[in-house]
Amino acid sequence: MKYYSLNKKAPKTSFEQAVVKGLAPDKGLYFPEEIQPLDKSFFDNIEQISREEIAFQAIQQFVSPEIPKKVLRQIIKETIDFDFPIVSLNNEISTLELFHGPTMAFKDVGARFMARCLGYFNQNNKEEITVLVATSGDTGGAVAHGFLGVKGIKVVILYPKGKVSNVQEKQLTTLGQNITALEVDGVFDDCQDMVKRAFLDQDLTSKMQLTSANSINVARWLPQMFYFFFTYQQLKSKYKQLVFSVPSGNFGNICAGMIAKKLGLPIEHFIAANNENNVITKFLKTKEYVPEPTIATLSNAMDVSNPSNFVRIQEIYDQDFEVLKKDLTSYFYTDKATEKALIEIKEKYNYIADPHGAIGYLACKDYLKENENVHCVFLETAHPTKFLPTVERVLNETVALPDQIKELMNKKKVAIEISNYGGLKNFLLSK
Ligand SMILES: Cc1ncc(COP(=O)(O)O)c(C=O)c1O
Ligand SMILES: N[C@@H](CCOP(=O)(O)O)C(=O)O
């Protein structure tokens, strides 16, 4: 597969180069040159196909020929060796639990897949690669875990000081080895801007090979389509029309779902569920894309004001606003509404959601008010104990910590404080 830059001012490149470079030289995100829908028979028989085979069929065209089939099968096997359960709340709403991986957030899938692709490309230690990643909470931990100890790769994580949960912070600051955390005096968008700026800084790029492990990187982004297929496989016989409500921040997850649809997966509609950082909700109303300063919310991982993947979504829908609107609805919710939803989900369904999932739930409810005969699946994008103080305060009860999080809380945070791009640059040049 060839990839082109969405800024259209850089040469097309291979999957390998798109992964190793992260961002195109013209600062554009890479996008696959063509998307070949899967055979109808694949969808007809999907219930009989293993999860590994589904993932293989879905992603093969995007990674070939650089990743041989045998290697790809192994990468997939190691990437998705945990559960993706669906819990039914009622006849109209289910939740897809994406927190059964090692860092208890959906990011584990993309981070593990990308780490293995990069490890494969760099198996002879051609050149040390520095992976830069900006996080509003969960990407950092998943990438740290996914890349820990991978030879020839250093990971530098930028996160906004005081704006991630305790558990998230521990996950990204306690591993050591080839992982370094930089605590940035700013918001997530500042971290993301610094990462993008570093890719274009010749003082850096002439001395080191930099890449990104955010959803900017196609190897982090595309595998996020797997679980849309797994959901269809499990619910196909029960419900005719599936709608996905995706708690969204940088919009990589929902955008991967849209690629799944392009491959032929029968998804009736997407809902982007947002907190008050609602640039896309407003865009769908006004056709104007106007990022505003970030607001800190209880669903901190979605505190993104200028989502990177907006341009990919535009490309999937050929820059056609009306066509996009047929497939995408967006709602946003305040912290107050999020708290009420957490309580409602617990009281009505005896289910403990996290603040991001709670927003997904609210969006399902609103969509169902106007649309009949559909089943809405909201993505539970992280485990509720990653946001323990909020969840316990709102539900007024103690929630047991999983063992892996208990262990983590005793570890010591190690992070380097920086306040601007100069801080990042100095750090990278000093290594
Ligand atoms: C728990 C959680 N929910 C939702 C999101 C938003 O996902 P995306 O950035 O792919 O839109 C994130 C961060 O990415 C997250 O960590
Ligand atoms: N919410 C994310 C923000 C970065 O998103 P990504 O999918 O582009 O890595 C986070 O948890 O860090």
Side-chain angles (χ1 to χ4, degrees), residues 25 80 94 99 108 152 161 177 229 260 285 305 352 426:
I80 55 168
S94 300
F99 54 69
D108 282 322
K161 183 182 168 78
Q177 296 185 44
F229 285 89
K285 274 213 172 88
S305 58
I352 299 181
N426 287 341

Side-chain angles (χ1 to χ4, degrees), residues 106-107 133-140 188 192 213-216 220 224 249-250 252 301-302 304 309:
F106 75 91
K107 306 282 174 165
V133 58
T135 186
S136 56
D138 286 321
T139 297
F188 166 77
Q192 184 153 262
N214 281 103
S215 55
I216 292 170
R220 228 310 306 285
Q224 297 181 154
N250 224 6
M302 308 199 302
V304 179
N309 288 287

Side-chain angles (χ1 to χ4, degrees), residues 1 3 31-32 34-44 46 53-63 221-226 228-229 232 255-267 270 316-317 327:
M1 174 72 74
Y3 288 81
F31 195 86
E34 60 174 321
I35 298 171
Q36 196 63 49
L38 300 170
D39 282 353
K40 183 177 171 297
S41 62
F42 170 78
F43 296 105
D44 289 346
I46 197 162
E53 184 61 24
I54 290 173
F56 176 82
Q57 294 295 338
I59 203 138
Q60 192 196 5
Q61 62 177 290
F62 299 101
V63 306
W221 166 52
L222 288 168
Q224 297 181 154
M225 70 172 132
F226 293 163
F228 291 88
F229 285 89
Y232 176 71
C255 186
M258 289 166 172
I259 295 288
K261 183 165 181 174
K262 274 259 168 201
L263 287 172
L265 188 69
I267 297 176
F270 292 97
I316 293 172
Y317 290 92
D327 255 11

Side-chain angles (χ1 to χ4, degrees), residues 412-427:
K412 190 170 174 298
K413 161 186 162 183
V414 180
I416 299 168
E417 294 202 25
I418 62 167
S419 51
N420 53 32
Y421 179 71
L424 171 63
K425 187 165 173 173
N426 287 341
F427 170 77

Side-chain angles (χ1 to χ4, degrees), residues 377-393:
V377 180
F378 70 91
L379 273 47
E380 227 330 13
T381 41
H383 194 277
T385 54
K386 292 192 88 169
F387 312 94
L388 196 67
T390 301
V391 173
E392 289 195 332
R393 175 182 57 77

